[in-house]
Amino acid sequence: MPMATVKNKKNSNFRKNNNKIDNINNKNNNNYNHYDYSPKFVIDYYDNWNVEEFPEYVRTLMNYEEKLVSHIFKNFLECYFKNKDIFILDCGCGFGSYYHLTKGYQNTIYFDISLNLLKKFKNKYPNLNMICGDINSPPFKNGSFDLIMCINLLEHIDDHDKVINNLLRILKDDGLLFIVVVNKKSIFKEEIFTSFNIFHKEYSIDDFKKYNIIEHSSFYFIHSIFKILPSFLLKKLINQKKMVELNIKLGRLLNGQFLYVIIKK
């Protein structure tokens, strides 16, 4: 099992101890410091991010979105990656919301702008490879990864084309980029996914048409009116298996709150 690290210039005690993963790091970025490249307010915002402080209905809806993403991503992995000996980069991994999707893939690097969130993640799972850095300047060699995950991250990026091109650079030939964003063309807007105190924008499939898209669809069709329900009823309603299947099917016909896009290099 690879040894863990949260790599940051100001935290030299966190070191990487895995040759396979080390070979991916760009040697020109050995002293990489995430504060050099990112707006400080974004870092401060996520360093103080604490889901447990949110109202229960907010956490319920966030968990449901994660459940839908997990369902889609698992099907995606089964379809495109039969071999678990692949290199994965989880961009914007935070404190590990989607770790369960990659825990069987040992050659995974978890990458985030917030050192504080990575420390929380590391406290739960000490034997993981983690790097703190800025997605605008990912410190990896060309052609390093088979798969890059970019879930709920691009909406905080002003120049998404720059980021996508950087991610395509570090993908191997025929590698895949899995993106999830808030859908600009959604038939309704749930404010907990659109109202932020930091830079936030929505996307449509039109924003990705210049790339080699092999699959895309929208998902999440829970109208805001359901928030009037008591939390226990809301959970019972949306966690039914049929609701998950319905949300996925509706995404092929209508524009839901979120959009996933799979891009091939």
Side-chain angles (χ1 to χ4, degrees), residues 57-58 60-66 68-69 72 183 186-190 192-193 217-224 226-227 234 238 243-244 246-248 250-251 254-259:
Y57 82 89
V58 172
T60 298
L61 294 179
M62 290 176 67
N63 288 338
Y64 185 63
E65 186 249 343
E66 290 179 5
L68 292 175
V69 171
I72 293 166
N183 187 8
S186 176
I187 58 177
F188 55 84
K189 304 289 183 182
E190 170 51 67
I192 70 169
F193 299 121
S217 183
S218 68
F219 62 98
Y220 189 101
F221 294 88
I222 304 297
H223 196 278
S224 298
F226 285 102
K227 291 189 294 187
L234 180 61
I238 65 178
M243 281 292 289
V244 173
L246 178 62
N247 267 269
I248 301 300
L250 282 175
L254 303 170
N255 272 303
Q257 181 76 67
F258 292 90
L259 172 71

mmCIF file of all heavy atoms in Angstrom, residues 57-58 60-66 68-69 72 183 186-190 192-193 217-224 226-227 234 238 243-244 246-248 250-251 254-259:
data_model
loop_
_atom_site.group_PDB
_atom_site.id
_atom_site.type_symbol
_atom_site.label_atom_id
_atom_site.label_comp_id
_atom_site.label_asym_id
_atom_site.label_seq_id
_atom_site.Cartn_x
_atom_site.Cartn_y
_atom_site.Cartn_z
ATOM 1 N N TYR A 57 -31.250 19.598 6.185
ATOM 2 C CA TYR A 57 -31.803 19.418 4.844
ATOM 3 C C TYR A 57 -30.751 19.698 3.771
ATOM 4 O O TYR A 57 -30.748 19.073 2.707
ATOM 5 C CB TYR A 57 -33.037 20.303 4.636
ATOM 6 C CG TYR A 57 -32.754 21.733 4.257
ATOM 7 C CD1 TYR A 57 -32.616 22.105 2.921
ATOM 8 C CD2 TYR A 57 -32.624 22.722 5.229
ATOM 9 C CE1 TYR A 57 -32.358 23.412 2.566
ATOM 10 C CE2 TYR A 57 -32.362 24.030 4.877
ATOM 11 C CZ TYR A 57 -32.232 24.370 3.551
ATOM 12 O OH TYR A 57 -31.978 25.676 3.205
ATOM 13 N N VAL A 58 -29.827 20.636 4.047
ATOM 14 C CA VAL A 58 -28.746 20.922 3.102
ATOM 15 C C VAL A 58 -27.840 19.709 2.983
ATOM 16 O O VAL A 58 -27.479 19.284 1.883
ATOM 17 C CB VAL A 58 -27.942 22.162 3.546
ATOM 18 C CG1 VAL A 58 -26.702 22.339 2.659
ATOM 19 C CG2 VAL A 58 -28.808 23.415 3.479
ATOM 20 N N THR A 60 -28.630 16.674 3.590
ATOM 21 C CA THR A 60 -29.399 15.608 2.946
ATOM 22 C C THR A 60 -29.345 15.740 1.433
ATOM 23 O O THR A 60 -29.119 14.760 0.713
ATOM 24 C CB THR A 60 -30.868 15.652 3.413
ATOM 25 O OG1 THR A 60 -30.915 15.417 4.831
ATOM 26 C CG2 THR A 60 -31.702 14.595 2.696
ATOM 27 N N LEU A 61 -29.542 16.968 0.923
ATOM 28 C CA LEU A 61 -29.511 17.181 -0.526
ATOM 29 C C LEU A 61 -28.106 17.030 -1.090
ATOM 30 O O LEU A 61 -27.922 16.495 -2.190
ATOM 31 C CB LEU A 61 -30.077 18.560 -0.854
ATOM 32 C CG LEU A 61 -31.567 18.759 -0.542
ATOM 33 C CD1 LEU A 61 -32.012 20.185 -0.878
ATOM 34 C CD2 LEU A 61 -32.435 17.747 -1.284
ATOM 35 N N MET A 62 -27.110 17.474 -0.343
ATOM 36 C CA MET A 62 -25.728 17.292 -0.786
ATOM 37 C C MET A 62 -25.374 15.814 -0.844
ATOM 38 O O MET A 62 -24.723 15.352 -1.794
ATOM 39 C CB MET A 62 -24.777 18.035 0.158
ATOM 40 C CG MET A 62 -24.855 19.547 0.058
ATOM 41 S SD MET A 62 -23.810 20.385 1.279
ATOM 42 C CE MET A 62 -22.183 19.941 0.701
ATOM 43 N N ASN A 63 -25.802 15.060 0.147
ATOM 44 C CA ASN A 63 -25.542 13.623 0.156
ATOM 45 C C ASN A 63 -26.228 12.928 -1.009
ATOM 46 O O ASN A 63 -25.700 11.964 -1.574
ATOM 47 C CB ASN A 63 -26.000 13.008 1.477
ATOM 48 C CG ASN A 63 -25.105 13.385 2.643
ATOM 49 O OD1 ASN A 63 -23.956 13.754 2.457
ATOM 50 N ND2 ASN A 63 -25.649 13.313 3.851
ATOM 51 N N TYR A 64 -27.411 13.429 -1.361
ATOM 52 C CA TYR A 64 -28.135 12.822 -2.469
ATOM 53 C C TYR A 64 -27.419 13.079 -3.794
ATOM 54 O O TYR A 64 -27.321 12.189 -4.641
ATOM 55 C CB TYR A 64 -29.563 13.358 -2.536
ATOM 56 C CG TYR A 64 -30.398 12.683 -3.595
ATOM 57 C CD1 TYR A 64 -30.667 11.322 -3.516
ATOM 58 C CD2 TYR A 64 -30.891 13.387 -4.683
ATOM 59 C CE1 TYR A 64 -31.422 10.676 -4.478
ATOM 60 C CE2 TYR A 64 -31.645 12.755 -5.659
ATOM 61 C CZ TYR A 64 -31.912 11.395 -5.549
ATOM 62 O OH TYR A 64 -32.653 10.761 -6.517
ATOM 63 N N GLU A 65 -26.916 14.297 -3.959
ATOM 64 C CA GLU A 65 -26.143 14.594 -5.173
ATOM 65 C C GLU A 65 -24.921 13.687 -5.244
ATOM 66 O O GLU A 65 -24.591 13.136 -6.298
ATOM 67 C CB GLU A 65 -25.708 16.060 -5.187
ATOM 68 C CG GLU A 65 -25.032 16.486 -6.479
ATOM 69 C CD GLU A 65 -23.551 16.780 -6.332
ATOM 70 O OE1 GLU A 65 -23.108 16.964 -5.188
ATOM 71 O OE2 GLU A 65 -22.845 16.822 -7.362
ATOM 72 N N GLU A 66 -24.236 13.487 -4.109
ATOM 73 C CA GLU A 66 -23.078 12.597 -4.075
ATOM 74 C C GLU A 66 -23.478 11.159 -4.413
ATOM 75 O O GLU A 66 -22.730 10.436 -5.074
ATOM 76 C CB GLU A 66 -22.420 12.653 -2.692
ATOM 77 C CG GLU A 66 -21.721 13.973 -2.408
ATOM 78 C CD GLU A 66 -21.105 14.028 -1.025
ATOM 79 O OE1 GLU A 66 -21.135 12.990 -0.318
ATOM 80 O OE2 GLU A 66 -20.612 15.101 -0.635
ATOM 81 N N LEU A 68 -25.930 10.260 -6.420
ATOM 82 C CA LEU A 68 -26.144 10.192 -7.863
ATOM 83 C C LEU A 68 -24.814 10.180 -8.609
ATOM 84 O O LEU A 68 -24.635 9.408 -9.559
ATOM 85 C CB LEU A 68 -26.997 11.377 -8.320
ATOM 86 C CG LEU A 68 -28.457 11.394 -7.861
ATOM 87 C CD1 LEU A 68 -29.132 12.699 -8.289
ATOM 88 C CD2 LEU A 68 -29.223 10.199 -8.412
ATOM 89 N N VAL A 69 -23.884 11.037 -8.193
ATOM 90 C CA VAL A 69 -22.555 11.063 -8.819
ATOM 91 C C VAL A 69 -21.889 9.702 -8.675
ATOM 92 O O VAL A 69 -21.301 9.178 -9.624
ATOM 93 C CB VAL A 69 -21.669 12.168 -8.198
ATOM 94 C CG1 VAL A 69 -20.225 12.040 -8.687
ATOM 95 C CG2 VAL A 69 -22.209 13.546 -8.542
ATOM 96 N N ILE A 72 -23.356 7.185 -11.113
ATOM 97 C CA ILE A 72 -22.895 7.444 -12.482
ATOM 98 C C ILE A 72 -21.437 7.037 -12.646
ATOM 99 O O ILE A 72 -21.061 6.388 -13.631
ATOM 100 C CB ILE A 72 -23.079 8.940 -12.830
ATOM 101 C CG1 ILE A 72 -24.569 9.281 -12.889
ATOM 102 C CG2 ILE A 72 -22.394 9.294 -14.147
ATOM 103 C CD1 ILE A 72 -24.859 10.770 -12.881
ATOM 104 N N ASN A 183 -25.351 22.727 -13.776
ATOM 105 C CA ASN A 183 -25.875 22.905 -15.134
ATOM 106 C C ASN A 183 -26.554 24.258 -15.316
ATOM 107 O O ASN A 183 -27.562 24.555 -14.669
ATOM 108 C CB ASN A 183 -26.863 21.771 -15.435
ATOM 109 C CG ASN A 183 -27.338 21.768 -16.884
ATOM 110 O OD1 ASN A 183 -26.838 22.508 -17.723
ATOM 111 N ND2 ASN A 183 -28.315 20.925 -17.163
ATOM 112 N N SER A 186 -30.330 24.127 -16.372
ATOM 113 C CA SER A 186 -31.245 23.355 -15.540
ATOM 114 C C SER A 186 -32.644 23.965 -15.548
ATOM 115 O O SER A 186 -32.810 25.183 -15.595
ATOM 116 C CB SER A 186 -30.729 23.312 -14.101
ATOM 117 O OG SER A 186 -31.634 22.645 -13.256
ATOM 118 N N ILE A 187 -33.670 23.106 -15.506
ATOM 119 C CA ILE A 187 -35.052 23.583 -15.526
ATOM 120 C C ILE A 187 -35.451 24.217 -14.193
ATOM 121 O O ILE A 187 -36.490 24.852 -14.093
ATOM 122 C CB ILE A 187 -36.028 22.440 -15.886
ATOM 123 C CG1 ILE A 187 -35.902 21.272 -14.894
ATOM 124 C CG2 ILE A 187 -35.803 21.968 -17.309
ATOM 125 C CD1 ILE A 187 -36.888 20.148 -15.139
ATOM 126 N N PHE A 188 -34.621 24.037 -13.158
ATOM 127 C CA PHE A 188 -34.843 24.734 -11.898
ATOM 128 C C PHE A 188 -33.496 24.939 -11.217
ATOM 129 O O PHE A 188 -32.506 24.318 -11.592
ATOM 130 C CB PHE A 188 -35.798 23.970 -10.972
ATOM 131 C CG PHE A 188 -35.367 22.562 -10.685
ATOM 132 C CD1 PHE A 188 -34.443 22.286 -9.684
ATOM 133 C CD2 PHE A 188 -35.883 21.511 -11.408
ATOM 134 C CE1 PHE A 188 -34.041 20.990 -9.409
ATOM 135 C CE2 PHE A 188 -35.487 20.203 -11.147
ATOM 136 C CZ PHE A 188 -34.574 19.948 -10.156
ATOM 137 N N LYS A 189 -33.450 25.827 -10.255
ATOM 138 C CA LYS A 189 -32.205 26.157 -9.573
ATOM 139 C C LYS A 189 -32.357 25.911 -8.080
ATOM 140 O O LYS A 189 -33.205 26.516 -7.427
ATOM 141 C CB LYS A 189 -31.838 27.635 -9.799
ATOM 142 C CG LYS A 189 -31.733 28.047 -11.256
ATOM 143 C CD LYS A 189 -30.527 27.455 -11.932
ATOM 144 C CE LYS A 189 -30.402 27.956 -13.371
ATOM 145 N NZ LYS A 189 -29.266 27.358 -14.079
ATOM 146 N N GLU A 190 -31.554 25.024 -7.561
ATOM 147 C CA GLU A 190 -31.507 24.797 -6.122
ATOM 148 C C GLU A 190 -30.405 25.678 -5.550
ATOM 149 O O GLU A 190 -29.228 25.503 -5.870
ATOM 150 C CB GLU A 190 -31.244 23.320 -5.829
ATOM 151 C CG GLU A 190 -30.938 22.992 -4.380
ATOM 152 C CD GLU A 190 -31.964 23.555 -3.430
ATOM 153 O OE1 GLU A 190 -33.121 23.090 -3.456
ATOM 154 O OE2 GLU A 190 -31.607 24.478 -2.663
ATOM 155 N N ILE A 192 -28.800 25.980 -2.843
ATOM 156 C CA ILE A 192 -27.649 25.473 -2.078
ATOM 157 C C ILE A 192 -26.511 25.037 -2.985
ATOM 158 O O ILE A 192 -25.376 24.893 -2.540
ATOM 159 C CB ILE A 192 -28.049 24.310 -1.135
ATOM 160 C CG1 ILE A 192 -28.381 23.050 -1.934
ATOM 161 C CG2 ILE A 192 -29.190 24.697 -0.227
ATOM 162 C CD1 ILE A 192 -28.522 21.813 -1.070
ATOM 163 N N PHE A 193 -26.806 24.847 -4.280
ATOM 164 C CA PHE A 193 -25.774 24.475 -5.241
ATOM 165 C C PHE A 193 -25.345 25.644 -6.126
ATOM 166 O O PHE A 193 -24.444 25.491 -6.957
ATOM 167 C CB PHE A 193 -26.256 23.326 -6.129
ATOM 168 C CG PHE A 193 -26.596 22.074 -5.380
ATOM 169 C CD1 PHE A 193 -27.869 21.530 -5.448
ATOM 170 C CD2 PHE A 193 -25.650 21.430 -4.591
ATOM 171 C CE1 PHE A 193 -28.196 20.375 -4.763
ATOM 172 C CE2 PHE A 193 -25.963 20.271 -3.894
ATOM 173 C CZ PHE A 193 -27.240 19.744 -3.972
ATOM 174 N N SER A 217 -24.553 13.817 -19.805
ATOM 175 C CA SER A 217 -25.962 13.826 -19.436
ATOM 176 C C SER A 217 -26.124 14.718 -18.208
ATOM 177 O O SER A 217 -25.154 14.997 -17.489
ATOM 178 C CB SER A 217 -26.462 12.415 -19.112
ATOM 179 O OG SER A 217 -27.847 12.428 -18.834
ATOM 180 N N SER A 218 -27.350 15.177 -17.978
ATOM 181 C CA SER A 218 -27.638 15.908 -16.753
ATOM 182 C C SER A 218 -28.255 14.950 -15.736
ATOM 183 O O SER A 218 -28.622 13.818 -16.057
ATOM 184 C CB SER A 218 -28.579 17.084 -17.029
ATOM 185 O OG SER A 218 -29.861 16.633 -17.385
ATOM 186 N N PHE A 219 -28.359 15.403 -14.483
ATOM 187 C CA PHE A 219 -28.973 14.591 -13.435
ATOM 188 C C PHE A 219 -29.371 15.497 -12.275
ATOM 189 O O PHE A 219 -29.034 16.680 -12.260
ATOM 190 C CB PHE A 219 -28.032 13.468 -12.960
ATOM 191 C CG PHE A 219 -26.738 13.944 -12.350
ATOM 192 C CD1 PHE A 219 -26.590 14.039 -10.973
ATOM 193 C CD2 PHE A 219 -25.659 14.277 -13.154
ATOM 194 C CE1 PHE A 219 -25.404 14.476 -10.411
ATOM 195 C CE2 PHE A 219 -24.457 14.718 -12.601
ATOM 196 C CZ PHE A 219 -24.335 14.816 -11.223
ATOM 197 N N TYR A 220 -30.076 14.962 -11.344
ATOM 198 C CA TYR A 220 -30.604 15.627 -10.144
ATOM 199 C C TYR A 220 -31.846 16.457 -10.476
ATOM 200 O O TYR A 220 -31.765 17.549 -11.039
ATOM 201 C CB TYR A 220 -29.552 16.524 -9.472
ATOM 202 C CG TYR A 220 -29.978 17.055 -8.107
ATOM 203 C CD1 TYR A 220 -29.505 16.468 -6.943
ATOM 204 C CD2 TYR A 220 -30.856 18.123 -7.984
ATOM 205 C CE1 TYR A 220 -29.894 16.942 -5.696
ATOM 206 C CE2 TYR A 220 -31.255 18.593 -6.742
ATOM 207 C CZ TYR A 220 -30.777 18.004 -5.609
ATOM 208 O OH TYR A 220 -31.170 18.472 -4.380
ATOM 209 N N PHE A 221 -33.000 15.894 -10.090
ATOM 210 C CA PHE A 221 -34.283 16.542 -10.331
ATOM 211 C C PHE A 221 -35.103 16.604 -9.041
ATOM 212 O O PHE A 221 -36.189 16.065 -8.951
ATOM 213 C CB PHE A 221 -35.062 15.784 -11.411
ATOM 214 C CG PHE A 221 -34.424 15.844 -12.765
ATOM 215 C CD1 PHE A 221 -33.473 14.903 -13.136
ATOM 216 C CD2 PHE A 221 -34.754 16.832 -13.675
ATOM 217 C CE1 PHE A 221 -32.869 14.947 -14.384
ATOM 218 C CE2 PHE A 221 -34.161 16.888 -14.921
ATOM 219 C CZ PHE A 221 -33.219 15.951 -15.277
ATOM 220 N N ILE A 222 -34.538 17.247 -8.040
ATOM 221 C CA ILE A 222 -35.240 17.443 -6.779
ATOM 222 C C ILE A 222 -35.579 18.925 -6.663
ATOM 223 O O ILE A 222 -34.703 19.760 -6.445
ATOM 224 C CB ILE A 222 -34.391 16.996 -5.569
ATOM 225 C CG1 ILE A 222 -33.961 15.543 -5.726
ATOM 226 C CG2 ILE A 222 -35.175 17.200 -4.270
ATOM 227 C CD1 ILE A 222 -35.096 14.559 -5.753
ATOM 228 N N HIS A 223 -36.836 19.257 -6.828
ATOM 229 C CA HIS A 223 -37.249 20.656 -6.790
ATOM 230 C C HIS A 223 -37.114 21.218 -5.373
ATOM 231 O O HIS A 223 -37.265 20.498 -4.369
ATOM 232 C CB HIS A 223 -38.698 20.794 -7.262
ATOM 233 C CG HIS A 223 -39.089 22.188 -7.605
ATOM 234 N ND1 HIS A 223 -39.466 23.104 -6.653
ATOM 235 C CD2 HIS A 223 -39.147 22.829 -8.796
ATOM 236 C CE1 HIS A 223 -39.745 24.252 -7.238
ATOM 237 N NE2 HIS A 223 -39.563 24.115 -8.539
ATOM 238 N N SER A 224 -36.843 22.508 -5.290
ATOM 239 C CA SER A 224 -36.648 23.167 -3.996
ATOM 240 C C SER A 224 -37.850 23.035 -3.077
ATOM 241 O O SER A 224 -37.713 23.121 -1.851
ATOM 242 C CB SER A 224 -36.331 24.653 -4.207
ATOM 243 O OG SER A 224 -35.137 24.816 -4.920
ATOM 244 N N PHE A 226 -39.370 20.561 -2.160
ATOM 245 C CA PHE A 226 -39.267 19.402 -1.276
ATOM 246 C C PHE A 226 -38.585 19.743 0.042
ATOM 247 O O PHE A 226 -38.662 18.974 1.000
ATOM 248 C CB PHE A 226 -38.523 18.262 -1.976
ATOM 249 C CG PHE A 226 -39.345 17.551 -3.016
ATOM 250 C CD1 PHE A 226 -39.163 17.807 -4.365
ATOM 251 C CD2 PHE A 226 -40.315 16.641 -2.639
ATOM 252 C CE1 PHE A 226 -39.928 17.172 -5.319
ATOM 253 C CE2 PHE A 226 -41.087 15.989 -3.587
ATOM 254 C CZ PHE A 226 -40.901 16.256 -4.936
ATOM 255 N N LYS A 227 -37.951 20.916 0.104
ATOM 256 C CA LYS A 227 -37.289 21.318 1.347
ATOM 257 C C LYS A 227 -38.279 21.616 2.465
ATOM 258 O O LYS A 227 -37.891 21.751 3.625
ATOM 259 C CB LYS A 227 -36.398 22.537 1.096
ATOM 260 C CG LYS A 227 -35.183 22.238 0.255
ATOM 261 C CD LYS A 227 -34.216 23.392 0.207
ATOM 262 C CE LYS A 227 -34.797 24.598 -0.498
ATOM 263 N NZ LYS A 227 -33.794 25.668 -0.693
ATOM 264 N N LEU A 234 -37.849 13.744 3.861
ATOM 265 C CA LEU A 234 -37.052 14.072 2.678
ATOM 266 C C LEU A 234 -36.055 12.951 2.390
ATOM 267 O O LEU A 234 -35.915 12.508 1.245
ATOM 268 C CB LEU A 234 -36.325 15.397 2.895
ATOM 269 C CG LEU A 234 -35.436 15.899 1.749
ATOM 270 C CD1 LEU A 234 -36.257 16.124 0.489
ATOM 271 C CD2 LEU A 234 -34.706 17.178 2.158
ATOM 272 N N ILE A 238 -36.105 10.646 -1.141
ATOM 273 C CA ILE A 238 -35.083 10.720 -2.185
ATOM 274 C C ILE A 238 -34.122 9.534 -2.177
ATOM 275 O O ILE A 238 -33.437 9.291 -3.168
ATOM 276 C CB ILE A 238 -34.270 12.034 -2.096
ATOM 277 C CG1 ILE A 238 -33.463 12.105 -0.802
ATOM 278 C CG2 ILE A 238 -35.196 13.227 -2.232
ATOM 279 C CD1 ILE A 238 -32.613 13.358 -0.693
ATOM 280 N N MET A 243 -35.988 6.422 -7.050
ATOM 281 C CA MET A 243 -35.710 7.845 -7.242
ATOM 282 C C MET A 243 -34.361 8.051 -7.918
ATOM 283 O O MET A 243 -34.196 8.940 -8.756
ATOM 284 C CB MET A 243 -35.739 8.575 -5.901
ATOM 285 C CG MET A 243 -37.145 8.873 -5.404
ATOM 286 S SD MET A 243 -37.991 10.095 -6.447
ATOM 287 C CE MET A 243 -37.093 11.584 -6.009
ATOM 288 N N VAL A 244 -33.374 7.237 -7.552
ATOM 289 C CA VAL A 244 -32.062 7.323 -8.191
ATOM 290 C C VAL A 244 -32.185 6.989 -9.668
ATOM 291 O O VAL A 244 -31.686 7.723 -10.538
ATOM 292 C CB VAL A 244 -31.051 6.378 -7.498
ATOM 293 C CG1 VAL A 244 -29.735 6.353 -8.275
ATOM 294 C CG2 VAL A 244 -30.817 6.808 -6.062
ATOM 295 N N LEU A 246 -34.860 7.098 -11.526
ATOM 296 C CA LEU A 246 -35.673 8.113 -12.202
ATOM 297 C C LEU A 246 -34.849 9.345 -12.527
ATOM 298 O O LEU A 246 -34.949 9.904 -13.623
ATOM 299 C CB LEU A 246 -36.869 8.490 -11.329
ATOM 300 C CG LEU A 246 -37.799 9.591 -11.888
ATOM 301 C CD1 LEU A 246 -38.424 9.129 -13.201
ATOM 302 C CD2 LEU A 246 -38.878 9.936 -10.864
ATOM 303 N N ASN A 247 -34.004 9.779 -11.581
ATOM 304 C CA ASN A 247 -33.161 10.956 -11.806
ATOM 305 C C ASN A 247 -32.204 10.744 -12.963
ATOM 306 O O ASN A 247 -31.958 11.654 -13.751
ATOM 307 C CB ASN A 247 -32.382 11.295 -10.532
ATOM 308 C CG ASN A 247 -33.088 12.306 -9.673
ATOM 309 O OD1 ASN A 247 -32.876 13.502 -9.802
ATOM 310 N ND2 ASN A 247 -33.958 11.827 -8.796
ATOM 311 N N ILE A 248 -31.663 9.533 -13.081
ATOM 312 C CA ILE A 248 -30.734 9.233 -14.158
ATOM 313 C C ILE A 248 -31.464 9.225 -15.503
ATOM 314 O O ILE A 248 -30.991 9.792 -16.499
ATOM 315 C CB ILE A 248 -30.038 7.878 -13.922
ATOM 316 C CG1 ILE A 248 -29.269 7.886 -12.596
ATOM 317 C CG2 ILE A 248 -29.099 7.557 -15.083
ATOM 318 C CD1 ILE A 248 -28.191 8.925 -12.477
ATOM 319 N N LEU A 250 -34.345 10.736 -16.298
ATOM 320 C CA LEU A 250 -34.817 12.077 -16.636
ATOM 321 C C LEU A 250 -33.702 12.924 -17.247
ATOM 322 O O LEU A 250 -33.950 13.791 -18.083
ATOM 323 C CB LEU A 250 -35.372 12.776 -15.393
ATOM 324 C CG LEU A 250 -36.773 12.372 -14.940
ATOM 325 C CD1 LEU A 250 -37.125 13.054 -13.619
ATOM 326 C CD2 LEU A 250 -37.803 12.721 -16.006
ATOM 327 N N GLY A 251 -32.466 12.643 -16.832
ATOM 328 C CA GLY A 251 -31.330 13.412 -17.333
ATOM 329 C C GLY A 251 -31.120 13.276 -18.826
ATOM 330 O O GLY A 251 -30.477 14.125 -19.444
ATOM 331 N N LEU A 254 -34.403 15.775 -19.956
ATOM 332 C CA LEU A 254 -34.537 17.140 -19.463
ATOM 333 C C LEU A 254 -33.195 17.636 -18.931
ATOM 334 O O LEU A 254 -32.241 16.876 -18.820
ATOM 335 C CB LEU A 254 -35.586 17.193 -18.347
ATOM 336 C CG LEU A 254 -36.990 16.688 -18.704
ATOM 337 C CD1 LEU A 254 -37.836 16.571 -17.443
ATOM 338 C CD2 LEU A 254 -37.659 17.596 -19.725
ATOM 339 N N ASN A 255 -33.141 18.911 -18.592
ATOM 340 C CA ASN A 255 -31.932 19.486 -18.019
ATOM 341 C C ASN A 255 -32.050 19.531 -16.499
ATOM 342 O O ASN A 255 -32.853 20.277 -15.940
ATOM 343 C CB ASN A 255 -31.696 20.897 -18.562
ATOM 344 C CG ASN A 255 -30.893 20.893 -19.841
ATOM 345 O OD1 ASN A 255 -29.773 20.363 -19.878
ATOM 346 N ND2 ASN A 255 -31.455 21.440 -20.903
ATOM 347 N N GLY A 256 -31.242 18.703 -15.844
ATOM 348 C CA GLY A 256 -31.233 18.660 -14.391
ATOM 349 C C GLY A 256 -30.259 19.649 -13.790
ATOM 350 O O GLY A 256 -29.574 20.398 -14.493
ATOM 351 N N GLN A 257 -30.170 19.634 -12.471
ATOM 352 C CA GLN A 257 -29.348 20.598 -11.739
ATOM 353 C C GLN A 257 -27.853 20.446 -12.048
ATOM 354 O O GLN A 257 -27.109 21.416 -12.060
ATOM 355 C CB GLN A 257 -29.569 20.405 -10.242
ATOM 356 C CG GLN A 257 -28.791 21.358 -9.355
ATOM 357 C CD GLN A 257 -29.385 22.743 -9.332
ATOM 358 O OE1 GLN A 257 -30.471 22.944 -8.829
ATOM 359 N NE2 GLN A 257 -28.684 23.713 -9.874
ATOM 360 N N PHE A 258 -27.428 19.209 -12.328
ATOM 361 C CA PHE A 258 -26.014 18.942 -12.574
ATOM 362 C C PHE A 258 -25.808 18.325 -13.959
ATOM 363 O O PHE A 258 -26.727 17.760 -14.551
ATOM 364 C CB PHE A 258 -25.447 18.003 -11.510
ATOM 365 C CG PHE A 258 -25.361 18.620 -10.147
ATOM 366 C CD1 PHE A 258 -26.414 18.532 -9.258
ATOM 367 C CD2 PHE A 258 -24.219 19.310 -9.754
ATOM 368 C CE1 PHE A 258 -26.344 19.117 -8.011
ATOM 369 C CE2 PHE A 258 -24.131 19.894 -8.505
ATOM 370 C CZ PHE A 258 -25.207 19.788 -7.629
ATOM 371 N N LEU A 259 -24.574 18.442 -14.412
ATOM 372 C CA LEU A 259 -24.191 17.926 -15.720
ATOM 373 C C LEU A 259 -22.881 17.157 -15.559
ATOM 374 O O LEU A 259 -21.948 17.642 -14.916
ATOM 375 C CB LEU A 259 -23.985 19.090 -16.690
ATOM 376 C CG LEU A 259 -23.404 18.798 -18.076
ATOM 377 C CD1 LEU A 259 -24.439 18.050 -18.924
ATOM 378 C CD2 LEU A 259 -22.996 20.098 -18.765
#
